[in-house]
Amino acid sequence: MGRRSRCRRLQQQQRPESAEDRAEGGGKRGEAGWEGGYPEIVKENKLFEHYYRELKIVPEGEWDQFMDALREPLPATLRITGYKSHAKEILHCLKNKYFKELEDLEVDGQKVEVPQPLSWYPEELAWHTNLSRKILRKSPQLEKFHQFLVSETESGNISRQEAVSMIPPLLLNVQPHHKILDMCAAPGSKTTQLIEMLHADMSVPFPEGFVIANDVDNKRCYLLVHQAKRLSSPCIMVVNHDASSIPRLQMDVGGTKEILFYDRILCDVPCSGDGTMRKNIDVWKKWTTLNSLQLHGLQLRIATRGAEQLAEGGRMVYSTCSLNPVEDEAVIASLLEKSEGALELADVSNELPGLKWMPGITQWKVMTKDGQWFADWDAVPHSRHTQIRPTMFPLKDPEKLQAMHLERCLRILPHHQNTGGFFVAVLVKKSSMPWNKRQPKLQGKSADTRGSTQLSPADPTEGTPADPSKLESPSVTGTGDTEIAHAPEDLESNGNRKDGVCGPPPSKKRKLFGFKEDPFVFIPEDDPLFPPIEKFYALDPSFPRMNLLTRTTEGKKRQLYMVSKELRNVLLNNSERMKVINTGIKVWCRNNSGEEFDCAFRLAQEGIYTLYPFINSRIITVSMEDVKILLTQENPFFRKLSSETYSQAKDLAKGSIVLKYEPDSANPDSLQCPIVLCGWRGKASIRTFVPKNERLHYLRMMGLEVLGEKKKEGVILTNENAASTGQLENEVTEGQRAGETHSPDAREADSPDAGESDSPDVTAGCDLAEAHLPR
């Protein structure tokens, strides 16, 4: 404490002096700081203008419009996330309630601009608005709209995402059976799009496909976990690797090891970001061509690594938020050249009708930081060879250049549709990469190309940076990896896999950074923990019990998670190759006093939509009025609910239950998407175990306006129940006299305010690690 006090005193002594120093740009803090904010950044960069004028990336006569658009703030864009029926309800709520209230609204004498859908995004699930935060505070209707957006974002039902950032996942053309790799995934807005596409059919709890989302930054991986968790999918795995040397994974196919090749790869690489000037104002003063020159090599290595792991017939999208051809067409041209026909650019000009874009360019020059131009590699002096590489220049051979069809790349310019700047190229793999040439197929093997291509001898050692000379050399010949690809797994020789334990990679292979992750331990077939659960919830025989896992090898199992069959396969066969940050969704939580109710585990809301199709017991069908009561009151007594609900609940033993709302198609004004909630049947009441933000979401979908909360009574006030809350204290006392009791463990672990949080002593991997991150 003494050291901290000294630090604070020093900071207080230094503060007036540093304020004087900073005042040079825009007055002292007292004069300009809190009143006018920071000195406004001048949105000028002569080198930037000189560079892009020379490259002619903007059509003739549009330069001024281009620069004016860059100087304007970027409009806020939002995307309705989640799965189809729920997304449609949110859209209906937005259009018919919140947007309608804004139609005739005026603020300070100006008509408020109503949000508009992005013309090229399917099903009106993405919208843009020019409403600033300042305006949002000036009107009760706007404030209400803003609160709705904030709350729905917390629930994971709306994502604030830049419009152009939504394009790459759409162009991947994902199907539910696809195996997908997102190479540079954080912060995760594109990853959530991919997960949604996997779950296009909500009636299938476990799609065949999966998403492996990777990021090199350990802390950003937890941001990625947070984003992905909002969609509650058993088909997502977050890993932490350098994308340019991300390890090849293996899967067990009929007792034989085969290399995992991905059907779809998203390669949204790190870039200089000059297309983001409208939101990242710092780029104006920091922009230089040096950033692009330094990133080009890394971008090419990542794209090459992606191409190596793509299945034949698969599709890879390469994208940047940069307008610089050194980061865009130069990378694509170099990749196409060394692929020797294995890759080709797809023509996607008709795939997003309504999107305005410019074709990729075929000729460009390279400029150094100090403004010196080079038209081709031969003109670059030897002293510049460490900074400028031959792959940065366009091909000299006009026939080869024409055959590449670089015009099929998409360049999105800010002034065409009021967006940021962006570059997208869609690549299709026609055959194996030249340095990955296949051995003859073994007799009796399937013709499925995903399993027959062999490991590249040029693959870098797992966990070490890729050697650019190896990655860029098509002369390497393929030998000797047949044994690795097709050797049956010796389960006995690996104790971890034999026990179903997938721990972190051994530290001797590479130094691990960040938090130490807990292992993934699959529940053995004969574990006595499962039969009571199976009996209590009358689980269907088709329930994939082998996909259940925990995150601890010792002590009581407190949380049970589920992954899809395919991700289980990946986990069991690659525990020493990859650093897994998180996977699976929580489906059951231990309830310490639950043994007296015949089952020690209660249902978790996070995984209920995955679990529900397999549950045949303890289901109570509720009406919309029941749902309103259950979500606004903490422990409503049976007599407050409908007689139908009471008749279903009265014969059930105490313990965890499922509350199911089925939409009434005969009443189109009612909520038209199914709702599944976790609850607890007490002695004389029912309570729901639903996180607060989810409660608010469902209430809004039912047309209720949330006015506030009475924490003492555990009541959420709405425009319907506000008048009747005065009776609650008497009712609570009456309930106590009637002897109503609940599981103490359930009360502590799952109070509505706490949501579905884990108990403090649980070591649940990412949950604890996330707590260490700055908020």
Side-chain angles (χ1 to χ4, degrees), residues 44-54 63 277 284 286-290 367-373:
E44 296 285 345
N45 189 309
K46 297 298 179 190
L47 194 64
F48 173 87
E49 292 197 42
H50 170 64
Y51 182 68
Y52 284 122
R53 269 185 187 275
E54 187 73 23
W63 181 260
M277 281 178 154
W284 281 99
K286 293 179 179 176
W287 187 90
T288 164
T289 55
L290 185 61
M367 188 176 81
T368 61
K369 183 182 178 181
D370 50 13
Q372 187 179 0
W373 289 97

Side-chain angles (χ1 to χ4, degrees), residues 317-344:
V317 169
Y318 174 90
S319 62
T320 74
C321 45
S322 168
L323 299 170
N324 198 328
V326 170
E327 301 177 64
D328 300 339
E329 286 89 351
V331 173
I332 295 299
S334 178
L335 184 60
L336 288 171
E337 185 185 20
K338 65 181 181 176
S339 79
E340 297 177 10
L343 298 172
E344 76 171 27

Side-chain angles (χ1 to χ4, degrees), residues 114-134:
V114 179
Q116 296 297 318
L118 294 179
S119 60
W120 45 267
Y121 201 95
E123 300 183 54
E124 289 192 337
L125 292 177
W127 295 71
H128 69 98
T129 171
N130 285 318
L131 297 172
S132 68
R133 287 186 181 182
K134 196 174 178 182

Side-chain angles (χ1 to χ4, degrees), residues 216-497:
V216 67
D217 187 309
N218 185 266
K219 285 188 177 178
R220 281 167 63 86
C221 280
Y222 292 101
L223 184 60
L224 188 54
V225 169
H226 175 70
Q227 285 278 69
K229 266 180 170 285
R230 300 188 311 167
L231 284 163
S232 300
S233 169
C235 305
I236 168 75
M237 179 188 290
V238 176
V239 298
N240 178 205
H241 289 279
D242 176 356
S244 64
S245 58
I246 191 166
R248 280 200 189 282
L249 303 183
Q250 297 176 343
M251 290 185 78
D252 186 286
V253 181
T256 302
K257 280 289 193 65
E258 294 192 357
I259 304 304
L260 169 59
F261 287 91
Y262 300 94
D263 304 299
R264 298 289 186 266
I265 294 180
L266 180 55
C267 193
D268 186 54
V269 295
C271 65
S272 61
D274 58 20
T276 68
M277 281 178 154
R278 298 181 68 176
K279 65 172 183 178
N280 297 328
I281 315 265
D282 277 1
V283 178
W284 281 99
K285 60 180 182 181
K286 293 179 179 176
W287 187 90
T288 164
T289 55
L290 185 61
N291 294 338
S292 299
L293 300 178
Q294 289 174 336
L295 284 164
H296 170 87
L298 174 65
Q299 291 163 338
L300 182 54
R301 289 196 299 277
I302 292 173
T304 303
R305 191 64 179 153
E308 287 176 343
Q309 300 211 22
L310 187 64
E312 288 180 30
R315 183 178 271 211
M316 180 172 92
V317 169
Y318 174 90
S319 62
T320 74
C321 45
S322 168
L323 299 170
N324 198 328
V326 170
E327 301 177 64
D328 300 339
E329 286 89 351
V331 173
I332 295 299
S334 178
L335 184 60
L336 288 171
E337 185 185 20
K338 65 181 181 176
S339 79
E340 297 177 10
L343 298 172
E344 76 171 27
L345 275 168
D347 181 0
V348 292
S349 55
N350 297 319
E351 291 193 17
L352 291 180
L355 178 68
K356 293 179 183 174
W357 51 276
M358 297 294 298
I361 60 177
T362 55
Q363 292 299 325
W364 62 89
K365 296 184 286 184
V366 176
M367 188 176 81
T368 61
K369 183 182 178 181
D370 50 13
Q372 187 179 0
W373 289 97
F374 296 105
D376 59 58
W377 170 247
D378 297 336
V380 180
H382 190 74
S383 60
R384 297 276 191 183
H385 281 192
T386 54
Q387 187 184 94
I388 298 175
R389 305 296 304 145
T391 51
M392 295 176 183
F393 295 91
L395 265 67
K396 285 184 176 178
D397 186 335
E399 284 188 19
K400 271 189 178 181
L401 190 62
Q402 189 177 358
M404 284 182 179
H405 294 292
L406 289 179
E407 72 280 355
R408 290 179 179 173
C409 300
L410 310 186
R411 285 183 154 268
I412 289 98
L413 298 180
H415 64 292
H416 284 163
Q417 280 180 305
N418 198 11
T419 63
F422 211 67
F423 173 87
V424 192
V426 181
L427 295 152
V428 174
K429 191 169 185 179
K430 294 296 183 183
S431 61
S432 184
M433 300 298 274
W435 57 93
N436 273 102
K437 287 301 180 188
R438 292 173 293 175
Q439 300 288 331
K441 288 182 184 176
L442 299 179
Q443 289 294 321
K445 286 301 292 176
S446 163
D448 186 352
T449 55
R450 281 175 289 186
S452 55
T453 310
Q454 304 305 318
L455 273 168
S456 162
D459 279 354
T461 306
E462 307 296 21
T464 59
D467 182 345
S469 63
K470 287 183 181 178
L471 280 173
E472 294 174 17
S473 168
S475 60
V476 181
T477 54
T479 57
D481 280 317
T482 314
E483 295 82 3
I484 299 172
H486 292 286
E489 182 183 8
D490 183 2
L491 293 172
E492 296 301 319
S493 68
N494 190 324
N496 278 355
R497 287 182 206 154

Side-chain angles (χ1 to χ4, degrees), residues 93-105:
C93 186
L94 268 175
K95 286 171 71 174
N96 294 292
K97 183 179 179 188
Y98 293 97
F99 292 168
K100 272 196 173 175
E101 289 178 0
L102 305 182
E103 280 176 3
D104 302 313
L105 189 64

